[in-house]
Amino acid sequence: MLQQRKITLDEKEIPTHWYNIVADMKNKPLPPLHPATHQPIGPEALAPLFPMALIEQEVSTEKWIEIPDEVRNFYSIWRPTPMFRALGLEKALGTQSKIYYKYEGVSPAGSHKPNTAIPQAYYNYKEGVKKICTETGAGQWGSALSFACKLFGIDCEVFMVKVSYEGKPYRKVMMNTWGARVHASPSDLTNAGRSILAKDPKSPGSLGIAISEAVEVAATHDDTKYSLGSVLNHVLMHQTVIGLEAKKQMEKAGDYPDIVIAPFGGGSNFAGITFPFLQDKLVDGKKVRAIAVEPTSCPKLTRGEFRYDFGDTVGMTPLIPMYTLGHNFIPSPIHAGGLRYHGAGAIISQLLKDGIVEADAINQIECFEAGMLFSRTEGVIPAPEANHAIAEVVRQTKQADKEGVSKTILFNLCGHGNFDLSAYEQFLSGKLIDFEVSQEDINKSLAELDTPAIA
Ligand SMILES: *Cc1c(COP(=O)(O)O)cnc(C)c1O
């Protein structure tokens, strides 16, 4: 008999509400602070950058927030996404444990990012916004937002980190195909960009610099807003459609995970798959573990400090309470571009501090080895970011086998790697190298912070 591999849901089972974990947190996330006065900011301080509906979600403590029909309607282009039992991977590992994965690479942009791009474009459209500005690293967020803006007839302008703009042309073509304008960052279009170029005309750019540029354009134009693809509370909440569907699918499979694993950049796909399970932990005391996996080259969760820091490089955003390596930290050029961000979000940082979630850091060669094994046993070529989750799955199954126990493990396959084949080419030709950050570099970057510490 055919063993069940694929667990699907009906279109009617697309979630009707997003889950807001803040409602169930005993220690609420600390408030953001004004960048100059260091006083807590109110929702009105964010009004130049975001539409009111998203600001309300950002500060909401309501447990369930209804997903508008127009958003569910566009979600149905690719949602519900499939879940798979990784029978091939289990066999190759010779493990007693069961491995499941939720596959978010079926979206038009190839990752989980449209889950938040669509509602963000929708709320901007509802409030009459004409243009949205954003930044993108390797191009995954920029392409998701370009796609979403086109659906609602909004102009989209993207500041793309220069090394990626030059090295990853296909993501740029995707954005152009969906009608967005794309600039290499740092650019000479903003004060932020010009100030960086004055210091270093050859600057390769960074996510933090590109954020500064996009925020500046939004803050200085009345009809333009800004949009962020990770880190913020409302972004994490939009992604909970992943975990809400996954819970139903696990139920259909007659199972429940002991461990839920996802890669960690700013926390959105990790939040998306884990928060609905953490609800069971926070409310009913279930013993589910949630593990966030970061690269050793950008280890904010495992080696960063919990303190207030800026979301960008120039220091224009509010101060966010987060595990951070410092906003001037420039990570090594690993291939998992989506994981090269200096900080984590306020919610995840609080959950980590309270021991509700765990973190691990893994080198990129171990990640690509796991990604290769996955491609050859399950088919999909994973995004380099997703390889971090797979490498952790391998670690966890080995640990369980050593202890002689069987675990049920669920991980998020947050995107496919079809645009990242140059990274696979490097791996296959033995040219991929590991980067470990020295404690000296971390100390140096943190010492540059003059933002308030957290008691
Ligand atoms: C953007 C991205 C990430 C990292 O961002 P999170 O907000 O931490 O999810 C990871 N994987 C993929 C495929 C991405 O596009």
Side-chain angles (χ1 to χ4, degrees):
M1 205 181 75
L2 209 58
Q3 215 182 339
Q4 188 177 26
R5 190 185 281 275
K6 186 171 176 186
I7 304 126
T8 55
L9 295 174
D10 192 82
E11 208 168 274
K12 288 194 294 290
E13 294 174 279
I14 294 173
T16 56
H17 293 72
W18 291 297
Y19 168 58
N20 181 10
I21 198 170
V22 175
D24 290 326
M25 287 169 71
K26 204 161 77 210
N27 297 328
K28 305 294 182 202
L30 299 169
L33 304 181
H34 190 279
T37 66
H38 293 183
Q39 295 304 307
I41 55 165
E44 68 291 344
L46 297 171
L49 297 184
F50 302 104
M52 268 336 280
L54 290 175
I55 296 173
E56 280 161 23
Q57 291 181 1
E58 185 64 20
V59 299
S60 172
T61 53
E62 287 291 311
K63 185 160 172 158
W64 297 103
I65 293 186
E66 190 169 7
I67 306 177
D69 279 346
E70 293 91 328
V71 172
R72 290 184 79 226
N73 187 23
F74 283 132
Y75 274 171
S76 75
I77 294 174
W78 76 97
R79 305 209 72 82
T81 61
M83 172 183 279
F84 295 87
R85 171 91 184 266
L87 294 169
L89 180 62
E90 285 175 20
K91 193 166 161 211
L93 291 169
T95 182
Q96 296 182 44
S97 293
K98 288 189 269 185
I99 304 169
Y100 293 88
Y101 60 94
K102 179 79 165 154
Y103 184 39
E104 290 293 309
V106 292
S107 81
S111 76
H112 63 286
K113 293 222 166 65
N115 295 333
T116 183
I118 300 265
Q120 290 197 47
Y122 166 77
Y123 290 115
N124 275 285
Y125 154 79
K126 286 286 275 186
E127 295 183 27
V129 173
K130 297 283 179 280
K131 187 167 103 181
I132 302 181
C133 262
T134 197
E135 71 290 331
T136 196
Q140 284 144 326
W141 170 241
S143 50
L145 190 68
S146 305
F147 158 61
C149 282
K150 190 42 86 188
L151 294 179
F152 290 103
I154 300 175
D155 279 349
C156 184
E157 193 166 338
V158 182
F159 289 89
M160 183 171 188
V161 176
K162 194 178 275 167
V163 274
S164 303
Y165 182 94
E166 286 162 358
K168 303 203 167 176
Y170 293 135
R171 282 272 169 199
K172 177 179 160 276
V173 177
M174 271 178 103
M175 292 184 253
N176 293 148
T177 302
W178 279 314
R181 267 183 304 148
V182 187
H183 312 293
S185 165
S187 76
D188 59 6
L189 300 170
T190 64
N191 288 330
R194 286 187 292 268
S195 80
I196 300 283
L197 288 174
K199 274 182 260 171
D200 179 8
K202 290 215 170 73
S203 168
S206 73
L207 219 45
I209 295 169
I211 295 175
S212 301
E213 292 208 88
V215 166
E216 182 180 324
V217 172
T220 52
H221 293 81
D222 279 345
D223 61 350
T224 303
K225 298 282 184 204
Y226 168 70
S227 168
L228 191 62
S230 188
V231 181
L232 296 178
N233 302 353
H234 66 272
V235 180
L236 273 51
M237 187 187 73
H238 295 156
Q239 292 292 352
T240 58
V241 289
I242 303 172
L244 292 166
E245 287 178 6
K247 263 175 107 167
K248 283 192 198 162
Q249 285 160 309
M250 289 302 294
E251 213 178 294
K252 274 199 176 177
D255 238 330
Y256 191 89
D258 298 300
I259 311 173
V260 186
I261 296 171
F264 194 97
S268 76
N269 91 89
F270 173 75
I273 193 152
T274 62
F275 283 5
F277 291 98
L278 290 175
Q279 181 195 355
D280 298 344
K281 181 168 182 158
L282 294 170
V283 177
D284 303 324
K286 272 244 190 200
K287 283 204 171 49
V288 54
R289 293 172 64 196
I291 308 177
V293 192
E294 60 186 8
T296 44
S297 56
C298 194
K300 61 247 177 186
L301 298 174
T302 52
R303 296 172 69 194
E305 218 173 85
F306 186 45
R307 61 178 302 159
Y308 275 101
D309 195 8
F310 293 107
D312 67 328
T313 301
V314 176
M316 299 192 347
T317 69
L319 289 163
I320 302 169
M322 58 183 180
Y323 278 91
T324 181
L325 296 164
H327 59 269
N328 288 327
F329 184 82
I330 302 214
S332 307
I334 54 161
H335 291 285
L339 308 185
R340 296 178 67 236
Y341 184 65
H342 65 271
I347 294 177
I348 304 269
S349 294
Q350 191 64 47
L351 291 171
L352 182 67
K353 181 158 185 281
D354 292 341
I356 292 159
V357 304
E358 305 165 46
D360 200 4
I362 307 185
N363 261 318
Q364 70 173 348
I365 293 179
E366 183 178 337
C367 293
F368 271 84
E369 281 164 355
M372 289 300 294
L373 181 63
F374 186 87
S375 310
R376 292 174 177 191
T377 52
E378 295 294 321
V380 172
I381 299 175
E385 292 85 358
N387 286 345
H388 289 71
I390 301 167
E392 184 66 33
V393 170
V394 173
R395 285 186 176 187
Q396 291 296 330
T397 55
K398 290 200 168 135
Q399 181 63 28
D401 291 332
K402 209 163 84 191
E403 291 168 10
V405 294
S406 163
K407 296 281 185 195
T408 300
I409 302 173
L410 167 65
F411 79 91
N412 196 28
L413 185 58
C414 50
H416 65 66
N418 296 358
F419 292 99
D420 303 282
L421 294 178
S422 64
Y424 280 89
E425 183 183 29
Q426 282 196 9
F427 176 80
L428 289 166
S429 58
K431 290 196 192 114
L432 208 66
I433 51 167
D434 282 337
F435 297 95
E436 192 105 26
V437 199
S438 70
Q439 194 55 44
E440 208 180 319
D441 282 351
I442 294 178
N443 294 347
K444 188 167 149 266
S445 170
L446 286 170
E448 286 167 20
L449 294 184
D450 54 6
T451 52
I454 296 168

PDB file of all heavy atoms in Angstrom, residues 111-113 140 229-230 263-270 338-339 383 385 414-415, ligand 1:
ATOM      1  N   SER A 111       8.740  31.680  -2.107  1.00  0.00           N
ATOM      2  CA  SER A 111       9.029  31.619  -0.674  1.00  0.00           C
ATOM      3  C   SER A 111       7.765  31.963   0.118  1.00  0.00           C
ATOM      4  O   SER A 111       6.710  32.237  -0.454  1.00  0.00           O
ATOM      5  CB  SER A 111      10.135  32.618  -0.300  1.00  0.00           C
ATOM      6  OG  SER A 111       9.608  33.937  -0.267  1.00  0.00           O
ATOM      7  N   HIS A 112       7.923  32.011   1.461  1.00  0.00           N
ATOM      8  CA  HIS A 112       6.811  32.360   2.347  1.00  0.00           C
ATOM      9  C   HIS A 112       6.479  33.856   2.300  1.00  0.00           C
ATOM     10  O   HIS A 112       5.464  34.282   2.832  1.00  0.00           O
ATOM     11  CB  HIS A 112       7.187  31.988   3.785  1.00  0.00           C
ATOM     12  CG  HIS A 112       8.376  32.744   4.308  1.00  0.00           C
ATOM     13  ND1 HIS A 112       9.673  32.478   3.903  1.00  0.00           N
ATOM     14  CD2 HIS A 112       8.484  33.801   5.161  1.00  0.00           C
ATOM     15  CE1 HIS A 112      10.514  33.310   4.490  1.00  0.00           C
ATOM     16  NE2 HIS A 112       9.824  34.131   5.265  1.00  0.00           N
ATOM     17  N   LYS A 113       7.322  34.692   1.719  1.00  0.00           N
ATOM     18  CA  LYS A 113       7.184  36.140   1.871  1.00  0.00           C
ATOM     19  C   LYS A 113       5.861  36.741   1.358  1.00  0.00           C
ATOM     20  O   LYS A 113       5.376  37.706   1.941  1.00  0.00           O
ATOM     21  CB  LYS A 113       8.387  36.841   1.262  1.00  0.00           C
ATOM     22  CG  LYS A 113       9.673  36.542   2.059  1.00  0.00           C
ATOM     23  CD  LYS A 113      10.521  37.751   2.243  1.00  0.00           C
ATOM     24  CE  LYS A 113      11.597  37.552   3.297  1.00  0.00           C
ATOM     25  NZ  LYS A 113      12.591  36.525   2.921  1.00  0.00           N
ATOM     26  N   GLN A 140      14.386  38.222  -2.420  1.00  0.00           N
ATOM     27  CA  GLN A 140      13.173  37.445  -2.134  1.00  0.00           C
ATOM     28  C   GLN A 140      12.036  38.345  -1.641  1.00  0.00           C
ATOM     29  O   GLN A 140      10.898  38.211  -2.090  1.00  0.00           O
ATOM     30  CB  GLN A 140      13.463  36.371  -1.087  1.00  0.00           C
ATOM     31  CG  GLN A 140      14.231  35.210  -1.683  1.00  0.00           C
ATOM     32  CD  GLN A 140      15.226  34.643  -0.713  1.00  0.00           C
ATOM     33  OE1 GLN A 140      15.818  35.349   0.100  1.00  0.00           O
ATOM     34  NE2 GLN A 140      15.441  33.352  -0.793  1.00  0.00           N
ATOM     35  N   GLY A 229       9.744  43.240   5.366  1.00  0.00           N
ATOM     36  CA  GLY A 229       9.373  41.845   5.107  1.00  0.00           C
ATOM     37  C   GLY A 229       9.593  40.886   6.254  1.00  0.00           C
ATOM     38  O   GLY A 229       9.342  39.692   6.125  1.00  0.00           O
ATOM     39  N   SER A 230      10.059  41.413   7.411  1.00  0.00           N
ATOM     40  CA  SER A 230      10.332  40.527   8.549  1.00  0.00           C
ATOM     41  C   SER A 230      10.343  41.360   9.830  1.00  0.00           C
ATOM     42  O   SER A 230       9.913  42.519   9.811  1.00  0.00           O
ATOM     43  CB  SER A 230      11.683  39.831   8.342  1.00  0.00           C
ATOM     44  OG  SER A 230      11.889  38.852   9.324  1.00  0.00           O
ATOM     45  N   PRO A 263      14.489  28.153   9.721  1.00  0.00           N
ATOM     46  CA  PRO A 263      15.646  29.049   9.656  1.00  0.00           C
ATOM     47  C   PRO A 263      15.253  30.425  10.172  1.00  0.00           C
ATOM     48  O   PRO A 263      14.069  30.776  10.189  1.00  0.00           O
ATOM     49  CB  PRO A 263      15.971  29.108   8.163  1.00  0.00           C
ATOM     50  CG  PRO A 263      14.688  28.818   7.484  1.00  0.00           C
ATOM     51  CD  PRO A 263      13.941  27.869   8.393  1.00  0.00           C
ATOM     52  N   PHE A 264      16.273  31.202  10.563  1.00  0.00           N
ATOM     53  CA  PHE A 264      15.985  32.484  11.202  1.00  0.00           C
ATOM     54  C   PHE A 264      16.794  33.619  10.582  1.00  0.00           C
ATOM     55  O   PHE A 264      18.009  33.650  10.659  1.00  0.00           O
ATOM     56  CB  PHE A 264      16.296  32.398  12.696  1.00  0.00           C
ATOM     57  CG  PHE A 264      15.718  33.534  13.479  1.00  0.00           C
ATOM     58  CD1 PHE A 264      14.508  33.396  14.136  1.00  0.00           C
ATOM     59  CD2 PHE A 264      16.360  34.767  13.520  1.00  0.00           C
ATOM     60  CE1 PHE A 264      13.954  34.457  14.840  1.00  0.00           C
ATOM     61  CE2 PHE A 264      15.813  35.828  14.211  1.00  0.00           C
ATOM     62  CZ  PHE A 264      14.612  35.681  14.880  1.00  0.00           C
ATOM     63  N   GLY A 265      16.070  34.573   9.961  1.00  0.00           N
ATOM     64  CA  GLY A 265      16.705  35.786   9.456  1.00  0.00           C
ATOM     65  C   GLY A 265      16.288  36.943  10.345  1.00  0.00           C
ATOM     66  O   GLY A 265      17.026  37.420  11.197  1.00  0.00           O
ATOM     67  N   GLY A 266      15.037  37.369  10.194  1.00  0.00           N
ATOM     68  CA  GLY A 266      14.446  38.358  11.087  1.00  0.00           C
ATOM     69  C   GLY A 266      13.325  37.719  11.898  1.00  0.00           C
ATOM     70  O   GLY A 266      12.733  38.357  12.766  1.00  0.00           O
ATOM     71  N   GLY A 267      13.000  36.468  11.590  1.00  0.00           N
ATOM     72  CA  GLY A 267      12.063  35.710  12.407  1.00  0.00           C
ATOM     73  C   GLY A 267      10.706  35.431  11.812  1.00  0.00           C
ATOM     74  O   GLY A 267       9.870  34.811  12.459  1.00  0.00           O
ATOM     75  N   SER A 268      10.447  35.857  10.565  1.00  0.00           N
ATOM     76  CA  SER A 268       9.056  35.749  10.108  1.00  0.00           C
ATOM     77  C   SER A 268       8.627  34.325   9.772  1.00  0.00           C
ATOM     78  O   SER A 268       7.541  33.905  10.158  1.00  0.00           O
ATOM     79  CB  SER A 268       8.782  36.714   8.950  1.00  0.00           C
ATOM     80  OG  SER A 268       9.314  36.252   7.742  1.00  0.00           O
ATOM     81  N   ASN A 269       9.477  33.567   9.067  1.00  0.00           N
ATOM     82  CA  ASN A 269       9.001  32.211   8.748  1.00  0.00           C
ATOM     83  C   ASN A 269       9.079  31.312   9.981  1.00  0.00           C
ATOM     84  O   ASN A 269       8.251  30.406  10.143  1.00  0.00           O
ATOM     85  CB  ASN A 269       9.707  31.646   7.505  1.00  0.00           C
ATOM     86  CG  ASN A 269      10.957  30.858   7.792  1.00  0.00           C
ATOM     87  OD1 ASN A 269      10.914  29.648   8.008  1.00  0.00           O
ATOM     88  ND2 ASN A 269      12.103  31.543   7.829  1.00  0.00           N
ATOM     89  N   PHE A 270      10.042  31.591  10.865  1.00  0.00           N
ATOM     90  CA  PHE A 270      10.117  30.846  12.129  1.00  0.00           C
ATOM     91  C   PHE A 270       8.846  31.090  12.960  1.00  0.00           C
ATOM     92  O   PHE A 270       8.218  30.153  13.451  1.00  0.00           O
ATOM     93  CB  PHE A 270      11.363  31.278  12.911  1.00  0.00           C
ATOM     94  CG  PHE A 270      11.438  30.692  14.294  1.00  0.00           C
ATOM     95  CD1 PHE A 270      11.772  29.362  14.485  1.00  0.00           C
ATOM     96  CD2 PHE A 270      11.170  31.482  15.412  1.00  0.00           C
ATOM     97  CE1 PHE A 270      11.830  28.814  15.766  1.00  0.00           C
ATOM     98  CE2 PHE A 270      11.224  30.937  16.696  1.00  0.00           C
ATOM     99  CZ  PHE A 270      11.552  29.613  16.866  1.00  0.00           C
ATOM    100  N   GLY A 338      19.049  35.813   2.995  1.00  0.00           N
ATOM    101  CA  GLY A 338      17.915  36.155   3.850  1.00  0.00           C
ATOM    102  C   GLY A 338      18.227  36.046   5.337  1.00  0.00           C
ATOM    103  O   GLY A 338      17.432  36.479   6.164  1.00  0.00           O
ATOM    104  N   LEU A 339      19.367  35.468   5.685  1.00  0.00           N
ATOM    105  CA  LEU A 339      19.697  35.304   7.106  1.00  0.00           C
ATOM    106  C   LEU A 339      20.777  36.286   7.560  1.00  0.00           C
ATOM    107  O   LEU A 339      21.266  36.208   8.679  1.00  0.00           O
ATOM    108  CB  LEU A 339      20.155  33.856   7.386  1.00  0.00           C
ATOM    109  CG  LEU A 339      19.221  32.745   6.887  1.00  0.00           C
ATOM    110  CD1 LEU A 339      19.739  31.380   7.348  1.00  0.00           C
ATOM    111  CD2 LEU A 339      17.787  32.929   7.354  1.00  0.00           C
ATOM    112  N   ALA A 383      16.030  26.500  -0.790  1.00  0.00           N
ATOM    113  CA  ALA A 383      16.731  27.773  -0.665  1.00  0.00           C
ATOM    114  C   ALA A 383      17.861  27.581   0.350  1.00  0.00           C
ATOM    115  O   ALA A 383      17.720  26.810   1.306  1.00  0.00           O
ATOM    116  CB  ALA A 383      15.772  28.857  -0.178  1.00  0.00           C
ATOM    117  N   GLU A 385      18.671  29.330   2.746  1.00  0.00           N
ATOM    118  CA  GLU A 385      18.142  29.620   4.086  1.00  0.00           C
ATOM    119  C   GLU A 385      17.509  28.354   4.672  1.00  0.00           C
ATOM    120  O   GLU A 385      17.750  27.989   5.830  1.00  0.00           O
ATOM    121  CB  GLU A 385      17.084  30.726   4.029  1.00  0.00           C
ATOM    122  CG  GLU A 385      17.620  32.107   3.672  1.00  0.00           C
ATOM    123  CD  GLU A 385      17.749  32.343   2.168  1.00  0.00           C
ATOM    124  OE1 GLU A 385      17.458  31.403   1.388  1.00  0.00           O
ATOM    125  OE2 GLU A 385      18.141  33.456   1.767  1.00  0.00           O
ATOM    126  N   CYS A 414      10.976  26.875   3.664  1.00  0.00           N
ATOM    127  CA  CYS A 414      10.415  28.208   3.424  1.00  0.00           C
ATOM    128  C   CYS A 414      10.541  28.688   1.988  1.00  0.00           C
ATOM    129  O   CYS A 414       9.864  29.641   1.593  1.00  0.00           O
ATOM    130  CB  CYS A 414      11.089  29.205   4.367  1.00  0.00           C
ATOM    131  SG  CYS A 414      12.886  29.072   4.330  1.00  0.00           S
ATOM    132  N   GLY A 415      11.385  28.028   1.179  1.00  0.00           N
ATOM    133  CA  GLY A 415      11.482  28.444  -0.211  1.00  0.00           C
ATOM    134  C   GLY A 415      12.317  27.481  -1.014  1.00  0.00           C
ATOM    135  O   GLY A 415      13.068  26.679  -0.450  1.00  0.00           O
TER     136      GLY A 415
HETATM  137  C1  LIG B   1      13.621  36.159   3.691  1.00  0.00           C
HETATM  138  C2  LIG B   1      13.818  34.720   3.810  1.00  0.00           C
HETATM  139  C3  LIG B   1      14.256  34.134   5.007  1.00  0.00           C
HETATM  140  C4  LIG B   1      14.607  34.917   6.251  1.00  0.00           C
HETATM  141  O1  LIG B   1      13.621  35.740   6.758  1.00  0.00           O
HETATM  142  P1  LIG B   1      12.696  35.381   8.005  1.00  0.00           P
HETATM  143  O2  LIG B   1      11.938  36.624   8.238  1.00  0.00           O
HETATM  144  O3  LIG B   1      13.574  35.025   9.143  1.00  0.00           O
HETATM  145  O4  LIG B   1      11.827  34.266   7.594  1.00  0.00           O
HETATM  146  C5  LIG B   1      14.405  32.764   5.045  1.00  0.00           C
HETATM  147  N1  LIG B   1      14.146  32.003   3.979  1.00  0.00           N
HETATM  148  C6  LIG B   1      13.710  32.518   2.813  1.00  0.00           C
HETATM  149  C7  LIG B   1      13.443  31.592   1.674  1.00  0.00           C
HETATM  150  C8  LIG B   1      13.527  33.888   2.686  1.00  0.00           C
HETATM  151  O5  LIG B   1      13.083  34.379   1.535  1.00  0.00           O
END
